[in-house]
Amino acid sequence: MKVTEVPIFHEGSLSEKKSFLTGENFKSQDVLGIHQVIKNDEVYYVFRVWAPNALEVYLVGDFNDWQDTAPMTRDEETGIWEITTNTPQQMDLYKYHITQNNGRQIMKIDPFAKKFEKRPGNAAVVYTQADKKWKDGLFKGRNKRVKHHKRPLNIYEVHASSFKHHANGEPYGFKELKDELIPYLVKMNYTHVEFMPLMEHPLDQSWGYQLIGYFALCSYYGTPEEFQDFVEACHLNNIGVIVDWVPGHFCVNDDALAYYDGTPQFEYTEEDRAKNVRWGSINFDLGKPEVQSFLISSILYWIENFHIDGIRVDAVSSMIYRNYDDGPFTLNHEGGTSNLEGCHFLKKLNAVIKHTHPEVMMIAEESSSETKITGSIETSLGFDYKWNMGWMNDILRFYEMDPYFRKDNFNLMTFSFMYMMEERFILPLSHDEVVHGKKSLMHKMWGDRYKQFAQLRNLYTYLITHPGKKLLFMGSEWGQFLEWKFNEQLEWIDLEDEMNQQMQHFTSDLNQLYKDSGSLWELEDEQETIQIIDADNKDQTVLSYIRQGKKKKDFMIVVLNMTPVERKDFEIEVPFKGTYTEVWNTEMKEYGGTWEVHNSYCETINKKDSRFDFAVKTIVPALGAIILKPKDIKITRKK
């Protein structure tokens, strides 16, 4: 079949094409890729691909039996190849047959495709998405009026294809997740859901972190329209949506982005910088203007086309340090290990997002402390939040430990207080901690099954009451014992067990407590948000602190007992005279503990030669946590 020859209509102006080359076209998918145009009531498609060093490019697909009958024309100024044709039909498959710079011929995907065929194939689809009439204006408006760092942020992290499966083993797509996941998020009182990458990727073993299609929803999950409907339904239920995005490296597959025109096109020219040894992938050349246009266009497309509320940028450390990978590296021109191009790109990226969509959260998954990550563009890389990997590592080491040794390692619990204000943090208990033999969070806990649940409740109380936003990976909320498996659904059968049901109920109530308690998030960016009562009680291994809200009388006293010894008549210093009441106890029977009723009200006693003038006495359960709030107090200034 021969493609009908038609005139080129030039929807993409020369200036738009040139701005792609200068790194300033942040809607480059409107120029490159596939575009439908109507001429004299007839439907045509314009195909454009950037391959500056290719010798020949042909458009091939279902519409011409995958034969070289549709040569594309090269624009010498931009290196962009183009063809306009009325032969393709909606949902036809296509690729580009490229004669690379060295004469090698290969079929390549369209880097700007909005839709791909289902696996195992990876051809792009001739596809035009209709404009959606969104109904989430109230939610979006609220997000613009009230800054995200002034609101509760409690994230449920999800791998979309292993949340739930059909009876035949097929994963739920977003059509089913709309009916299953959203009610679950509401029931569990989460404020946001975060998805591991949803962009097109060829192998689910990568969990979505090795991409080929930066503008396409993975065909595994359904249609773009179904994902739009999912996001809209989340917003109508007051749930924000965050998506992981991978701008540092891409899939090595030969028919995708790798050495697209036969030369280092998307990747670095230097082999040691292009090759990502640790992940078996290829690194983007973040200093190349065309790559900057490509990547920033990708993130804006997801934000604007799908109304995404936050982007978690994966593997930031690998983008800002030349020596982060396992392979050889070269120093930068200043003689240091910083990836100067990567740092510049991330600042540029965050500047663009803050200018166009300041309400969208930019989150960095970054594990070092050498570079300031959050804050203004002038003083940092410009992210809104950083995952606190140090807190996560210390805390999990501590909770895995036999309580006998915890008093000698109490600093693992308290060290984060030393640096918690240096960045704006999210505290992550993520997918990375429940895979590859690390064991589930439940399985990490010391002791028998009862004690494991008790400590999991203790851990989650610490997560919720420690300064910083929150993230928990799916299945951890009910204490799934088995590690996460990317190719199987969660162990929903666990919930036939009463102890797992009680754990799930506990997490839901704890999440609600967080949302309802301004003292846990109102002053989170200020040192006043927390006062340490006692972080030196190593012998009893009990940690206590105050979380403060805007109003003087709005505060919580948190007490965490890290040993299997009940602390009777335990003295806790408090800031004001009066009566205090227990509002949270992890050992209540409804949560899987043994307590039938809460501790009774406690009256203050005078306390001399201490930080506070007063104290209360109460019982702190073994491996348990309690929270006290003032019931009737008198505010006085300490002399």
Side-chain angles (χ1 to χ4, degrees), residues 230-441:
F230 174 88
V231 175
E232 180 178 71
C234 279
H235 289 173
L236 294 176
N237 284 277
N238 290 317
I239 295 166
V241 180
I242 302 167
V243 172
D244 287 10
W245 181 63
V246 192
H249 61 104
F250 57 91
C251 181
V252 73
N253 285 14
D254 198 33
D255 55 357
L257 300 182
Y259 298 94
Y260 197 84
D261 63 7
T263 66
Q265 185 175 326
F266 289 94
E267 52 276 278
Y268 288 104
T269 301
E270 307 95 319
E271 185 178 355
D272 68 312
R273 301 192 69 192
K275 188 175 182 180
N276 193 307
V277 175
R278 180 176 299 181
W279 296 314
S281 56
I282 299 178
N283 295 321
F284 278 109
D285 182 348
L286 299 173
K288 188 174 290 184
E290 298 92 339
V291 171
Q292 294 175 5
S293 288
F294 174 77
L295 290 173
I296 297 176
S297 295
S298 164
I299 196 172
L300 280 173
Y301 174 76
W302 279 85
I303 290 169
E304 294 173 354
N305 189 57
F306 296 111
H307 283 205
I308 300 301
D309 305 293
I311 300 291
R312 194 211 72 156
V313 180
D314 180 65
V316 168
S317 294
S318 71
M319 301 169 68
I320 63 177
Y321 301 113
R322 286 179 173 229
N323 60 339
Y324 182 78
D325 195 16
D326 295 333
F329 68 93
T330 55
L331 300 175
N332 61 38
H333 70 272
E334 297 177 349
T337 57
S338 293
N339 181 354
L340 302 177
E341 301 96 324
C343 292
H344 170 76
F345 167 75
L346 290 170
K347 286 191 173 193
K348 179 177 180 177
L349 167 71
N350 285 318
V352 170
I353 301 304
K354 289 190 177 192
H355 175 71
T356 56
H357 298 283
E359 75 283 1
V360 171
M361 294 177 287
M362 293 298 292
I363 303 166
E365 189 256 333
E366 204 278 324
S367 56
S368 75
S369 58
E370 299 172 33
T371 303
K372 186 80 163 66
I373 303 298
T374 62
S376 67
I377 300 295
E378 293 75 22
T379 60
S380 72
L381 294 184
F383 284 95
D384 296 304
Y385 299 102
K386 171 184 175 177
W387 275 22
N388 193 339
M389 312 293 277
W391 176 88
M392 176 272 298
N393 284 313
D394 287 348
I395 290 306
L396 293 183
R397 276 183 60 201
F398 186 84
Y399 277 86
E400 287 182 90
M401 192 178 294
D402 186 311
Y404 180 82
F405 301 104
R406 288 178 179 174
K407 64 180 180 180
D408 296 321
N409 294 276
F410 203 43
N411 63 304
L412 293 174
M413 278 286 286
T414 60
F415 182 63
S416 57
F417 294 141
M418 303 294 292
Y419 63 86
M420 61 187 174
M421 294 298 163
E422 292 181 5
E423 301 271 12
R424 188 176 283 164
F425 286 116
I426 289 176
L427 308 177
L429 295 174
S430 74
H431 67 276
D432 273 328
E433 308 317 311
V434 296
V435 73
H436 293 327
K438 295 180 182 178
K439 301 186 289 191
S440 68
L441 294 184

Side-chain angles (χ1 to χ4, degrees), residues 47 57-64 66 68 70 72 92-98 106-110 116-117 120-126 255-256 260:
F47 296 80
V57 180
Y58 286 87
L59 173 67
V60 296
D62 292 338
F63 42 84
N64 65 357
W66 300 87
D68 287 348
M72 301 179 73
D92 279 351
L93 303 181
Y94 74 97
K95 283 190 175 183
Y96 298 119
H97 188 197
I98 295 177
I106 188 171
M107 297 277 198
K108 286 282 193 178
I109 67 165
D110 182 353
F116 286 85
E117 66 175 323
N122 68 351
V125 177
V126 176
D255 55 357
Y260 197 84

Side-chain angles (χ1 to χ4, degrees), residues 375-637:
S376 67
I377 300 295
E378 293 75 22
T379 60
S380 72
L381 294 184
F383 284 95
D384 296 304
Y385 299 102
K386 171 184 175 177
W387 275 22
N388 193 339
M389 312 293 277
W391 176 88
M392 176 272 298
N393 284 313
D394 287 348
I395 290 306
L396 293 183
R397 276 183 60 201
F398 186 84
Y399 277 86
E400 287 182 90
M401 192 178 294
D402 186 311
Y404 180 82
F405 301 104
R406 288 178 179 174
K407 64 180 180 180
D408 296 321
N409 294 276
F410 203 43
N411 63 304
L412 293 174
M413 278 286 286
T414 60
F415 182 63
S416 57
F417 294 141
M418 303 294 292
Y419 63 86
M420 61 187 174
M421 294 298 163
E422 292 181 5
E423 301 271 12
R424 188 176 283 164
F425 286 116
I426 289 176
L427 308 177
L429 295 174
S430 74
H431 67 276
D432 273 328
E433 308 317 311
V434 296
V435 73
H436 293 327
K438 295 180 182 178
K439 301 186 289 191
S440 68
L441 294 184
M442 173 66 174
H443 196 181
K444 292 178 195 290
M445 300 296 107
W446 167 87
D448 59 30
R449 193 162 186 256
Y450 181 89
K451 292 184 177 70
Q452 287 178 319
F453 274 115
Q455 288 170 102
L456 204 60
R457 296 191 296 268
N458 187 307
L459 168 62
Y460 292 174
T461 302
Y462 189 43
L463 166 72
I464 288 296
T465 60
H466 189 289
K469 307 304 187 185
K470 329 295 176 185
L471 180 142
L472 187 68
F473 184 60
M474 63 181 192
S476 303
E477 71 275 15
W478 71 70
Q480 176 172 309
F481 187 80
L482 296 179
E483 277 192 342
W484 167 58
K485 300 180 181 70
F486 73 89
N487 57 346
E488 298 179 17
Q489 70 172 359
L490 294 178
E491 298 288 328
W492 294 101
I493 194 172
D494 288 351
L495 291 172
E496 295 178 8
D497 185 286
E498 183 181 17
M499 295 184 78
N500 290 110
Q501 293 173 17
Q502 291 168 328
M503 185 70 216
Q504 185 189 51
H505 172 49
F506 170 87
T507 306
S508 176
D509 279 4
L510 181 62
N511 290 346
Q512 187 64 53
L513 176 73
Y514 171 65
K515 287 201 296 185
D516 292 342
S517 303
S519 58
L520 294 178
W521 40 267
E522 284 179 343
L523 301 177
E524 204 157 42
D525 293 337
E526 303 172 33
Q527 192 66 48
E528 290 74 19
T529 191
I530 188 169
Q531 294 182 72
I532 305 301
I533 297 175
D534 192 352
D536 298 315
N537 189 348
K538 297 179 181 180
D539 290 338
Q540 292 179 298
T541 323
V542 177
L543 173 64
S544 54
Y545 51 89
I546 298 171
R547 289 300 308 276
Q548 180 67 52
K550 287 183 179 179
K551 296 179 180 178
K552 197 72 173 176
K553 289 187 177 182
D554 182 18
F555 62 90
M556 286 182 167
I557 298 171
V558 183
V559 186
L560 301 156
N561 181 4
M562 310 309 302
T563 68
V565 179
E566 183 176 89
R567 302 298 178 185
K568 297 179 184 287
D569 207 28
F570 186 79
E571 186 174 284
I572 308 160
E573 293 186 20
V574 296
F576 305 112
K577 183 178 181 178
T579 306
Y580 291 78
T581 183
E582 183 180 275
V583 297
W584 189 254
N585 188 318
T586 60
E587 279 299 298
M588 300 307 294
K589 196 168 185 178
E590 64 178 305
Y591 300 141
T594 58
W595 285 42
E596 297 280 355
V597 296
H598 281 277
N599 278 305
S600 58
Y601 299 142
C602 41
E603 298 281 348
T604 54
I605 57 176
N606 292 333
K607 185 77 174 175
K608 294 182 179 180
D609 301 322
S610 63
R611 179 176 181 181
F612 299 110
D613 289 333
F614 309 99
V616 296
K617 291 186 177 182
T618 190
I619 302 172
V620 185
L623 296 173
I626 63 171
I627 297 176
L628 307 178
K629 288 194 72 173
K631 184 177 184 292
D632 184 14
I633 60 171
K634 182 179 181 182
I635 302 292
T636 56
R637 292 184 180 180

